[in-house]
Amino acid sequence: MTSRLELSGTAFSAYRHCLFCDCTTAQTLKAMRGGMTFREALAKRLEMIQPTTDMLNNYLRSHPPHLTPGIEELISELHDRGVAVYLVSGGFHAIIDPVAQHLDIPLKNVFANSIKFYFNGEYAGFDENEPTSHQEGKAEVCAYLKHRFGYRTLIMIGDGATDLAACPPADAFIGFGGNQVREKVKQEAKWFANSFQELLAELRRN
């Protein structure tokens, strides 16, 4: 049985670019800081943008993933130690899945949201059955993984309010500020790391 699990939140997806235009930033930040539910923010920003399949495909072609420094080394070290790594994100599979493939994380270990489209490529909503589409979704994923695989130790790493809220059922939470520092997370996390190199150095001491 795998005794440790590193469960990533938004930090591991770590795109330097956003799929959404600047007008959606207020809703996203408000949710990440705990000012509105995540599902409310998700619905609002998608309604504002009305994304299409062409828009998404053009974005993916012009914005390949730019990962936060140190993430590849950290994931590689965890894999070498036999640690299961999951990506749990309020983002979308279309964007998160290529990151997982780049990091050699199985796609079955990715929990994210799905945008729905009509046959003509126009926006048709999002899959509300995905656990990550609502505020408690990451906590639900943590509980599911512990029950399904019997992990004795499950650690959530993330930079947002929804990551923080996943502990418990996660056994521990590490706040991450390598992309953006959110004061609520920094204040409430027992350990707040500013880089993946910091996490890697600590891992190698154990």
Side-chain angles (χ1 to χ4, degrees), residues 101-123:
Q101 291 174 319
H102 183 81
L103 295 173
D104 292 325
I105 296 172
L107 293 183
K108 65 182 177 64
N109 288 12
V110 179
F111 293 82
N113 290 305
S114 299
I115 303 176
K116 298 189 292 188
F117 299 99
Y118 291 112
F119 69 92
N120 62 356
E122 293 184 354
Y123 175 62

mmCIF file of all heavy atoms in Angstrom, residues 101-123:
data_model
loop_
_atom_site.group_PDB
_atom_site.id
_atom_site.type_symbol
_atom_site.label_atom_id
_atom_site.label_comp_id
_atom_site.label_asym_id
_atom_site.label_seq_id
_atom_site.Cartn_x
_atom_site.Cartn_y
_atom_site.Cartn_z
ATOM 1 N N GLN A 101 0.394 15.129 -18.468
ATOM 2 C CA GLN A 101 1.180 14.300 -19.389
ATOM 3 C C GLN A 101 2.640 14.715 -19.392
ATOM 4 O O GLN A 101 3.543 13.867 -19.420
ATOM 5 C CB GLN A 101 0.581 14.391 -20.794
ATOM 6 C CG GLN A 101 -0.777 13.719 -20.906
ATOM 7 C CD GLN A 101 -1.436 13.932 -22.254
ATOM 8 O OE1 GLN A 101 -1.391 15.022 -22.832
ATOM 9 N NE2 GLN A 101 -2.056 12.890 -22.779
ATOM 10 N N HIS A 102 2.887 16.014 -19.347
ATOM 11 C CA HIS A 102 4.262 16.517 -19.322
ATOM 12 C C HIS A 102 4.988 16.060 -18.056
ATOM 13 O O HIS A 102 6.195 15.792 -18.088
ATOM 14 C CB HIS A 102 4.252 18.041 -19.400
ATOM 15 C CG HIS A 102 5.609 18.657 -19.451
ATOM 16 N ND1 HIS A 102 6.352 18.743 -20.618
ATOM 17 C CD2 HIS A 102 6.384 19.206 -18.477
ATOM 18 C CE1 HIS A 102 7.510 19.317 -20.362
ATOM 19 N NE2 HIS A 102 7.561 19.608 -19.066
ATOM 20 N N LEU A 103 4.254 15.949 -16.963
ATOM 21 C CA LEU A 103 4.845 15.562 -15.678
ATOM 22 C C LEU A 103 4.760 14.059 -15.417
ATOM 23 O O LEU A 103 5.090 13.596 -14.328
ATOM 24 C CB LEU A 103 4.131 16.306 -14.543
ATOM 25 C CG LEU A 103 4.286 17.825 -14.530
ATOM 26 C CD1 LEU A 103 3.389 18.451 -13.475
ATOM 27 C CD2 LEU A 103 5.732 18.229 -14.300
ATOM 28 N N ASP A 104 4.324 13.293 -16.432
ATOM 29 C CA ASP A 104 4.181 11.834 -16.304
ATOM 30 C C ASP A 104 3.207 11.438 -15.198
ATOM 31 O O ASP A 104 3.391 10.433 -14.503
ATOM 32 C CB ASP A 104 5.543 11.172 -16.059
ATOM 33 C CG ASP A 104 6.466 11.272 -17.271
ATOM 34 O OD1 ASP A 104 5.956 11.202 -18.403
ATOM 35 O OD2 ASP A 104 7.678 11.426 -17.075
ATOM 36 N N ILE A 105 2.160 12.240 -15.037
ATOM 37 C CA ILE A 105 1.087 11.914 -14.103
ATOM 38 C C ILE A 105 -0.054 11.289 -14.912
ATOM 39 O O ILE A 105 -0.520 11.889 -15.879
ATOM 40 C CB ILE A 105 0.590 13.173 -13.370
ATOM 41 C CG1 ILE A 105 1.700 13.758 -12.499
ATOM 42 C CG2 ILE A 105 -0.637 12.859 -12.523
ATOM 43 C CD1 ILE A 105 1.361 15.101 -11.890
ATOM 44 N N PRO A 106 -0.488 10.083 -14.564
ATOM 45 C CA PRO A 106 -1.570 9.436 -15.329
ATOM 46 C C PRO A 106 -2.824 10.308 -15.362
ATOM 47 O O PRO A 106 -3.176 10.944 -14.362
ATOM 48 C CB PRO A 106 -1.821 8.141 -14.552
ATOM 49 C CG PRO A 106 -0.584 7.903 -13.758
ATOM 50 C CD PRO A 106 -0.029 9.260 -13.425
ATOM 51 N N LEU A 107 -3.493 10.321 -16.511
ATOM 52 C CA LEU A 107 -4.695 11.144 -16.624
ATOM 53 C C LEU A 107 -5.793 10.688 -15.670
ATOM 54 O O LEU A 107 -6.651 11.490 -15.291
ATOM 55 C CB LEU A 107 -5.202 11.132 -18.072
ATOM 56 C CG LEU A 107 -4.296 11.819 -19.101
ATOM 57 C CD1 LEU A 107 -4.944 11.808 -20.468
ATOM 58 C CD2 LEU A 107 -3.966 13.245 -18.674
ATOM 59 N N LYS A 108 -5.756 9.409 -15.270
ATOM 60 C CA LYS A 108 -6.742 8.952 -14.286
ATOM 61 C C LYS A 108 -6.511 9.589 -12.921
ATOM 62 O O LYS A 108 -7.381 9.524 -12.042
ATOM 63 C CB LYS A 108 -6.703 7.432 -14.168
ATOM 64 C CG LYS A 108 -5.407 6.874 -13.620
ATOM 65 C CD LYS A 108 -5.441 5.355 -13.578
ATOM 66 C CE LYS A 108 -4.126 4.774 -13.092
ATOM 67 N NZ LYS A 108 -3.810 5.144 -11.712
ATOM 68 N N ASN A 109 -5.351 10.224 -12.751
ATOM 69 C CA ASN A 109 -5.036 10.916 -11.491
ATOM 70 C C ASN A 109 -5.347 12.404 -11.559
ATOM 71 O O ASN A 109 -4.925 13.165 -10.697
ATOM 72 C CB ASN A 109 -3.559 10.730 -11.137
ATOM 73 C CG ASN A 109 -3.251 9.320 -10.674
ATOM 74 O OD1 ASN A 109 -4.065 8.421 -10.815
ATOM 75 N ND2 ASN A 109 -2.064 9.110 -10.138
ATOM 76 N N VAL A 110 -6.067 12.816 -12.578
ATOM 77 C CA VAL A 110 -6.424 14.228 -12.736
ATOM 78 C C VAL A 110 -7.913 14.408 -12.444
ATOM 79 O O VAL A 110 -8.763 13.749 -13.041
ATOM 80 C CB VAL A 110 -6.112 14.728 -14.160
ATOM 81 C CG1 VAL A 110 -6.522 16.201 -14.308
ATOM 82 C CG2 VAL A 110 -4.642 14.548 -14.484
ATOM 83 N N PHE A 111 -8.212 15.316 -11.529
ATOM 84 C CA PHE A 111 -9.588 15.687 -11.220
ATOM 85 C C PHE A 111 -9.728 17.171 -11.552
ATOM 86 O O PHE A 111 -9.075 18.021 -10.936
ATOM 87 C CB PHE A 111 -9.903 15.434 -9.748
ATOM 88 C CG PHE A 111 -9.907 13.980 -9.365
ATOM 89 C CD1 PHE A 111 -8.717 13.317 -9.093
ATOM 90 C CD2 PHE A 111 -11.094 13.271 -9.298
ATOM 91 C CE1 PHE A 111 -8.707 11.978 -8.742
ATOM 92 C CE2 PHE A 111 -11.102 11.923 -8.939
ATOM 93 C CZ PHE A 111 -9.904 11.279 -8.667
ATOM 94 N N ALA A 112 -10.572 17.476 -12.527
ATOM 95 C CA ALA A 112 -10.726 18.860 -12.982
ATOM 96 C C ALA A 112 -12.115 19.017 -13.583
ATOM 97 O O ALA A 112 -12.917 18.073 -13.597
ATOM 98 C CB ALA A 112 -9.638 19.222 -13.990
ATOM 99 N N ASN A 113 -12.412 20.199 -14.098
ATOM 100 C CA ASN A 113 -13.718 20.492 -14.674
ATOM 101 C C ASN A 113 -13.731 20.273 -16.176
ATOM 102 O O ASN A 113 -12.694 20.283 -16.829
ATOM 103 C CB ASN A 113 -14.117 21.934 -14.352
ATOM 104 C CG ASN A 113 -14.425 22.112 -12.878
ATOM 105 O OD1 ASN A 113 -15.254 21.404 -12.324
ATOM 106 N ND2 ASN A 113 -13.740 23.042 -12.235
ATOM 107 N N SER A 114 -14.935 20.093 -16.690
ATOM 108 C CA SER A 114 -15.115 19.863 -18.125
ATOM 109 C C SER A 114 -16.100 20.879 -18.684
ATOM 110 O O SER A 114 -17.204 21.055 -18.146
ATOM 111 C CB SER A 114 -15.647 18.453 -18.382
ATOM 112 O OG SER A 114 -14.747 17.470 -17.921
ATOM 113 N N ILE A 115 -15.692 21.557 -19.753
ATOM 114 C CA ILE A 115 -16.592 22.465 -20.463
ATOM 115 C C ILE A 115 -17.389 21.655 -21.472
ATOM 116 O O ILE A 115 -16.846 20.774 -22.142
ATOM 117 C CB ILE A 115 -15.809 23.576 -21.194
ATOM 118 C CG1 ILE A 115 -14.930 24.348 -20.212
ATOM 119 C CG2 ILE A 115 -16.771 24.528 -21.897
ATOM 120 C CD1 ILE A 115 -14.053 25.390 -20.878
ATOM 121 N N LYS A 116 -18.676 21.940 -21.581
ATOM 122 C CA LYS A 116 -19.525 21.254 -22.549
ATOM 123 C C LYS A 116 -19.769 22.171 -23.745
ATOM 124 O O LYS A 116 -19.905 23.389 -23.603
ATOM 125 C CB LYS A 116 -20.854 20.859 -21.903
ATOM 126 C CG LYS A 116 -20.692 19.880 -20.743
ATOM 127 C CD LYS A 116 -22.025 19.335 -20.268
ATOM 128 C CE LYS A 116 -22.886 20.379 -19.618
ATOM 129 N NZ LYS A 116 -24.102 19.800 -18.996
ATOM 130 N N PHE A 117 -19.821 21.562 -24.935
ATOM 131 C CA PHE A 117 -20.040 22.312 -26.169
ATOM 132 C C PHE A 117 -21.156 21.661 -26.979
ATOM 133 O O PHE A 117 -21.335 20.437 -26.946
ATOM 134 C CB PHE A 117 -18.765 22.341 -27.022
ATOM 135 C CG PHE A 117 -17.598 23.007 -26.358
ATOM 136 C CD1 PHE A 117 -16.606 22.251 -25.744
ATOM 137 C CD2 PHE A 117 -17.480 24.388 -26.344
ATOM 138 C CE1 PHE A 117 -15.525 22.855 -25.128
ATOM 139 C CE2 PHE A 117 -16.398 25.005 -25.729
ATOM 140 C CZ PHE A 117 -15.425 24.225 -25.125
ATOM 141 N N TYR A 118 -21.881 22.506 -27.736
ATOM 142 C CA TYR A 118 -22.850 21.991 -28.697
ATOM 143 C C TYR A 118 -22.109 21.438 -29.908
ATOM 144 O O TYR A 118 -20.888 21.646 -30.067
ATOM 145 C CB TYR A 118 -23.810 23.100 -29.138
ATOM 146 C CG TYR A 118 -24.751 23.544 -28.037
ATOM 147 C CD1 TYR A 118 -24.644 24.815 -27.477
ATOM 148 C CD2 TYR A 118 -25.756 22.697 -27.567
ATOM 149 C CE1 TYR A 118 -25.503 25.235 -26.472
ATOM 150 C CE2 TYR A 118 -26.623 23.112 -26.549
ATOM 151 C CZ TYR A 118 -26.478 24.370 -26.017
ATOM 152 O OH TYR A 118 -27.325 24.773 -25.015
ATOM 153 N N PHE A 119 -22.835 20.747 -30.786
ATOM 154 C CA PHE A 119 -22.210 20.106 -31.950
ATOM 155 C C PHE A 119 -21.514 21.115 -32.853
ATOM 156 O O PHE A 119 -20.561 20.775 -33.558
ATOM 157 C CB PHE A 119 -23.259 19.323 -32.752
ATOM 158 C CG PHE A 119 -24.275 20.182 -33.453
ATOM 159 C CD1 PHE A 119 -24.078 20.601 -34.762
ATOM 160 C CD2 PHE A 119 -25.433 20.588 -32.789
ATOM 161 C CE1 PHE A 119 -25.008 21.394 -35.407
ATOM 162 C CE2 PHE A 119 -26.364 21.387 -33.436
ATOM 163 C CZ PHE A 119 -26.159 21.793 -34.749
ATOM 164 N N ASN A 120 -21.950 22.380 -32.822
ATOM 165 C CA ASN A 120 -21.330 23.414 -33.662
ATOM 166 C C ASN A 120 -20.160 24.113 -32.979
ATOM 167 O O ASN A 120 -19.602 25.076 -33.503
ATOM 168 C CB ASN A 120 -22.367 24.441 -34.099
ATOM 169 C CG ASN A 120 -22.990 25.197 -32.917
ATOM 170 O OD1 ASN A 120 -22.694 24.890 -31.761
ATOM 171 N ND2 ASN A 120 -23.838 26.169 -33.220
ATOM 172 N N GLY A 121 -19.776 23.641 -31.796
ATOM 173 C CA GLY A 121 -18.629 24.197 -31.101
ATOM 174 C C GLY A 121 -18.936 25.332 -30.149
ATOM 175 O O GLY A 121 -18.025 25.850 -29.496
ATOM 176 N N GLU A 122 -20.214 25.720 -30.042
ATOM 177 C CA GLU A 122 -20.567 26.804 -29.131
ATOM 178 C C GLU A 122 -20.694 26.300 -27.695
ATOM 179 O O GLU A 122 -20.937 25.115 -27.444
ATOM 180 C CB GLU A 122 -21.883 27.464 -29.593
ATOM 181 C CG GLU A 122 -21.761 28.205 -30.917
ATOM 182 C CD GLU A 122 -23.041 28.913 -31.304
ATOM 183 O OE1 GLU A 122 -24.067 28.729 -30.599
ATOM 184 O OE2 GLU A 122 -23.024 29.648 -32.306
ATOM 185 N N TYR A 123 -20.548 27.209 -26.773
ATOM 186 C CA TYR A 123 -20.561 26.889 -25.345
ATOM 187 C C TYR A 123 -21.922 26.344 -24.921
ATOM 188 O O TYR A 123 -22.962 26.888 -25.251
ATOM 189 C CB TYR A 123 -20.239 28.145 -24.544
ATOM 190 C CG TYR A 123 -20.323 27.984 -23.050
ATOM 191 C CD1 TYR A 123 -19.501 27.088 -22.381
ATOM 192 C CD2 TYR A 123 -21.240 28.744 -22.305
ATOM 193 C CE1 TYR A 123 -19.581 26.942 -20.995
ATOM 194 C CE2 TYR A 123 -21.310 28.612 -20.924
ATOM 195 C CZ TYR A 123 -20.488 27.709 -20.283
ATOM 196 O OH TYR A 123 -20.555 27.567 -18.927
#
